[in-house]
Amino acid sequence: MSEKATRAAYGDALVELGGINDKVVVLDADLSHATMTCGFAKAYPSRFFNAGIAEANMVNMAAGMSTMGLIPFCSTFAIFGAGRAYEQVRNSVAYPKFNVKLCVTHAGVSVGEDGGSHQAIEDLALMRAIPGMTVVVPADANEARKAVLAAADFEGPMYLRFARLASPVFEEDYPFTIGKANVMREGTDAVVFACGMMVSAAMDAAAELAAEGKSVAVVNVHTIKPIDAPCVLEWAEKCGNVITAEEHSVIGGLGDAVADVLMGRVCCKFKKVGVQDRFGQSGKAKEVLKEYGLTAPQLAQAIRETF
Amino acid sequence: MQTAELKEICKAVRRDIINMTANAGSGHPGGSLSAVELMVSIFFNHMRVDPKNPRDPDRDRFVLSKGHAAPCYYGVLAELGFIDREEFKNFRQLHSILQGHPDAKKVPGIDASTGSLGQGLSIAVGMALGAKTQGKDINVFAIVGDGECQEGQIWEASMAAAHYKLDNLTVVFDNNGLQIDGSNNEVMSLGDFAGKLRAFGYEVIELPDGHDLDAIEAALSRKVEGKPKAILAHTVKGKGVSFMENQVGWHGKAPNEEQRAQALKELEG
């Protein structure tokens, strides 16, 4: 299985999009070689705007540009886009329903060496709480590309979350529709609802458990909001044991979004796998993921514990 | 439009501000009254907008960065025909289009939702940049409060306006010298305000009297190339109502019935 970071796919998709849609503009805050918007900057220099290290201003410039008929893709690290500029996103983008795509990279603890200050683990919680915000976390590079293309055709504010670390790319092609979860693997004993690179970890965990005679379903919930409630209900009812997996705090992210759907409606065992209310830290990305219990074998163990 | 006509419009807008805030029992009369001549001049003599086609993509744009001056904005929009004065009675009431701070989703003629200080100027910068990027001849105007300039984002936006040489952007600073907790100087001094604006790359025009319609007209008409224009207007908070003028307490307080009557009487005089 080949590997590619979703941020790299984002950068490539922007270049592709630039050739299709001349209304697309890209803003960055001095991180274009990390967010990978540098490819677009090179291909379409007149439609690329560096805001400098000033994320609040960047988000509001994007808001203003969106009112001029442009489709701004606004990029920085997740910690700055959702964190530093939170209130700008809330009041100047989401409140007036402006057509801005906030595309953040370096989300989660897989940032690695830069450490806890740069590892956003609460961005999904922040963005999900904003009325009318669409929140998407692509599972792999292919899905990242499709999500970027779909975002350009979608009218309204959207948050797209990409990772720094290269992660497996699924060989099988599958459709991407905003708000429609993808069932990656069917099963009967447990279901894992996952997003981002945890989808791939869930697939590996399901394979490991299959060897033990357990049938585990994996649902790729790439759209955290609006969540695909019918799909979540269907698979929770079918499997009985529910596990959520995300590279994010267990507070306010995918796990809570799934719990909100199930609470009071389905009787099931429920377990949230994610960052357990602590900050991230420096280390090699894969070591950090292991420290926080986000590897496939650790996820398999978490699933096992629900049987 | 001639000065005499503008004066009459200013009078009407001042009455609107008093009535709106008095009816609602809340709102911001002080900073609304200080911005009247500035906003009226911008809209009546410089903005290319059409109330019959409020979403015309090629219209000029306006951002009230000091969004709490919404009553002044609503008065101007009513005078232009974007909204009906009938709606004023619903200002700050449940389900009204006239929110406490401007809401672009609800009100025709409003281009940006503002009120969270420091953010509006950046939106205006984005609009001006968006117009230039598309080769459109669109002018963008913003009114920014002085207390608001304590927000760092105003200076981020100013840096960007100069960096991108936005000569289609005019930023009017309503320098009434007061904010909620006291004078600017007591709360957080702005220091050499004009000097700061110049240092950030604006062509600065200083107006000793920000209520002098002829001076405002001259400043708005001046052509500037290759850089954004800043008009630093020294104004009087609560202008036109004797007991509100230069009084910090009238930043965010509505007049009672007696005060309304007195204010309206003074505005007639």
Side-chain angles (χ1 to χ4, degrees), chain A residues 50 57 87-88 92 95, chain B residues 105 116 119 122 134 153 164:
Chain A
N50 209 322
N57 183 51
E87 200 233 322
Q88 281 72 17
S92 292
Y95 182 53
Chain B
K105 283 194 307 287
S116 173
Q119 296 195 30
S122 299
Q134 298 176 89
Q153 193 178 344
Y164 287 108

Side-chain angles (χ1 to χ4, degrees), chain B residues 187-232:
Chain B
V187 177
M188 181 52 66
S189 174
L190 293 162
D192 179 6
F193 201 170
K196 282 190 171 76
L197 295 173
R198 249 175 237 115
F200 271 82
Y202 288 104
E203 176 75 23
V204 180
I205 305 167
E206 203 159 355
L207 296 181
D209 179 0
H211 304 287
D212 177 342
L213 288 163
D214 293 328
I216 296 170
E217 181 53 33
L220 287 171
S221 300
R222 196 197 292 178
K223 275 262 165 259
V224 172
E225 273 180 29
K227 51 158 89 171
K229 176 159 73 178
I231 298 175
L232 177 54

Side-chain angles (χ1 to χ4, degrees), chain A residues 23 25 46-51 54-57 60-61 63-65 67-70 87-88 91-92 95-98, chain B residues 61 99 102-105 111-113 116 119-120 122-123 125-127 129-131 133-134 138 153 156-157 160 164:
Chain A
K23 294 293 178 198
V25 293
S46 66
R47 286 193 273 147
F48 176 81
F49 304 93
N50 209 322
E55 296 79 9
N57 183 51
N60 281 20
M61 283 207 301
M65 293 177 101
T67 72
M68 307 304 284
L70 297 169
E87 200 233 322
Q88 281 72 17
N91 270 331
S92 292
Y95 182 53
K97 290 199 175 95
F98 284 163
Chain B
R61 303 299 206 277
Q99 294 287 299
D103 186 335
K105 283 194 307 287
D111 300 321
S113 298
S116 173
Q119 296 195 30
S122 299
I123 299 172
V125 167
M127 290 171 171
L129 186 53
T133 300
Q134 298 176 89
I138 292 172
Q153 193 178 344
E156 294 181 7
Y164 287 108

Side-chain angles (χ1 to χ4, degrees), chain A residues 231-299:
Chain A
C231 176
V232 169
L233 283 168
E234 179 191 340
W235 285 90
E237 274 170 355
K238 210 178 275 185
C239 298
N241 296 318
V242 174
I243 298 92
T244 61
E246 61 196 307
E247 200 200 341
H248 182 273
S249 171
V250 289
I251 298 171
L254 171 67
D256 281 1
V258 169
D260 288 346
V261 173
L262 299 179
M263 199 72 73
R265 284 196 251 181
V266 178
C267 189
C268 60
K269 278 195 192 164
F270 184 82
K271 186 168 215 165
K272 287 192 276 188
V273 171
V275 177
Q276 301 294 326
D277 197 19
R278 55 193 279 233
F279 288 112
Q281 60 182 298
S282 289
K284 298 254 177 285
K286 288 187 175 166
E287 292 169 4
V288 180
L289 285 168
K290 192 174 177 196
E291 169 65 25
Y292 289 83
L294 301 174
T295 64
Q298 289 165 304
L299 180 55

